[in-house]
Amino acid sequence: MRPCAAAPSRLIGRNRSCEPSAVGLEPLESQPELPQDLPREPILTLPGALTAYVLLLAVIHLRVLLPPETEYWTIEVFGFIPKRYDSTLLAIAFPGGTGAKVWTFVTYSLLHANLSHIGFNVLWLLPFGSALARRFGTIRFFTFMAVTAVAGALAHLITHEHAVAPMIGASASVSGTMAAAIRFAFVKGSFLSFSRGDADAAARVPALSLMRALRNTRVLAFLGVWFGVNIIFGIGSIAIGADGASVAWQAHIGGFFAGLVLFSLFDPVPRAAPDAADASSSDASERG
């Protein structure tokens, strides 16, 4: 809607009062209306925390410009390698030493194989990560991304105990943001509801409890689709990118589960009453 401004009326006489003039009734003087500031809805703008995270991924990806030997060395030092934690006699010494056994639980999530890999993760991160970054703020958001990365690495370690191939990519953390976001995404006024507000308001609606979320039909449908896609990736051994790197779908599930369960530990928005939080039915009724 464009702001409207009323043009000032022409005065018949010089009398500017509200009393009738000697000639006739004068119209009241109309003061020009100043254009009102319309509410800005930051649909296409990213919150600062998410912008910083995406820029961090982009800057780190410049490592591909390094000589091949140095570039692969960075993957061995900062990528997550399950074999690094093998204590048997067949253990292999990897670059990074003891320190790499600690920091690679997080640093692997900042590395990507190629542009399609990083682009795929950023594409999924934009809608869900944007809402979560607005809700959590910078410190909580970055801590959450690290925690879900650790959960993804643990899931990969359990299922690939002796694997030598490094795991890299932010997919576990991206999966965690998707899981956390659905705790409030379908609530009335949120970003996936039928009656959403602006981006900031949509990110601050009270969330569903975990048990209530797991009884919500839209949440269950989202879970079904998400797990179905990951099962297809796992069973079909679908690869992403020209280099044929396989998808670490177990890490996706680890990050997703952590985001879904641990969301309440990070959420700064007070929980609403049960009858007020789940507004999916009212959303449906408003459509007619």
Side-chain angles (χ1 to χ4, degrees):
M1 180 184 296
R2 293 180 301 173
C4 298
S9 304
R10 291 174 182 267
L11 297 179
I12 297 177
R14 296 183 176 274
N15 184 6
R16 300 190 176 211
S17 68
C18 296
E19 297 296 329
S21 65
V23 177
L25 292 177
E26 263 188 22
L28 296 178
E29 182 182 19
S30 296
Q31 296 294 333
E33 294 181 9
L34 297 177
Q36 297 180 355
D37 291 334
L38 293 178
R40 297 180 180 179
E41 187 169 340
I43 297 176
L44 300 179
T45 59
L46 299 180
L50 181 58
T51 302
Y53 183 79
V54 172
L55 287 177
L56 178 63
L57 296 181
V59 170
I60 291 176
H61 193 64
L62 293 177
R63 65 177 175 76
V64 298
L65 302 178
L66 298 172
E69 298 80 9
T70 307
E71 197 269 339
Y72 190 74
W73 177 85
T74 62
I75 294 179
E76 287 192 319
V77 173
F78 298 104
F80 187 80
I81 307 175
K83 188 69 175 177
R84 197 192 304 272
Y85 306 92
D86 193 343
S87 58
T88 66
L89 295 177
L90 299 178
I92 302 175
F94 291 96
T98 304
K101 292 184 176 181
V102 178
W103 65 59
T104 54
F105 273 94
V106 175
T107 55
Y108 82 91
S109 66
L110 303 177
L111 302 171
H112 289 84
N114 46 47
L115 287 177
S116 63
H117 188 198
I118 191 172
F120 188 81
N121 279 332
V122 170
L123 181 65
W124 281 106
L125 187 62
L126 291 182
F128 298 95
S130 181
L132 210 63
R134 284 189 171 93
R135 188 180 185 96
F136 283 176
T138 303
I139 296 177
R140 281 190 176 94
F141 178 73
F142 273 89
T143 304
F144 178 86
M145 298 298 281
V147 169
T148 49
V150 171
L154 286 173
H156 187 71
L157 178 61
I158 292 172
T159 54
H160 297 77
E161 184 179 359
H162 303 293
V164 179
M167 179 183 69
I168 58 177
S171 298
S173 295
V174 173
S175 299
T177 64
M178 296 172 72
I182 64 173
R183 292 281 298 271
F184 62 91
F186 300 107
V187 174
K188 182 179 179 182
S190 193
F191 68 102
L192 290 183
S193 73
F194 296 114
S195 54
R196 61 157 296 192
D198 62 57
D200 287 321
R204 304 291 295 180
V205 299
L208 302 173
S209 67
L210 179 59
M211 295 305 299
R212 203 165 175 81
L214 294 178
R215 293 196 299 267
N216 184 287
T217 55
R218 294 187 213 172
V219 173
L220 291 176
F222 185 94
L223 291 175
V225 172
W226 190 91
F227 277 99
V229 170
N230 277 273
I231 290 173
I232 293 174
F233 273 110
I235 296 177
S237 298
I238 297 176
I240 290 182
D243 55 359
S246 59
V247 176
W249 59 275
Q250 295 93 336
H252 296 187
I253 293 177
F256 190 92
F257 183 78
L260 185 66
V261 174
L262 301 179
F263 165 80
S264 297
L265 298 179
F266 294 87
D267 190 20
V269 180
R271 190 73 49 79
D275 58 345
D278 188 358
S280 57
S281 58
S282 63
D283 268 354
S285 64
E286 287 175 5
R287 288 183 296 164

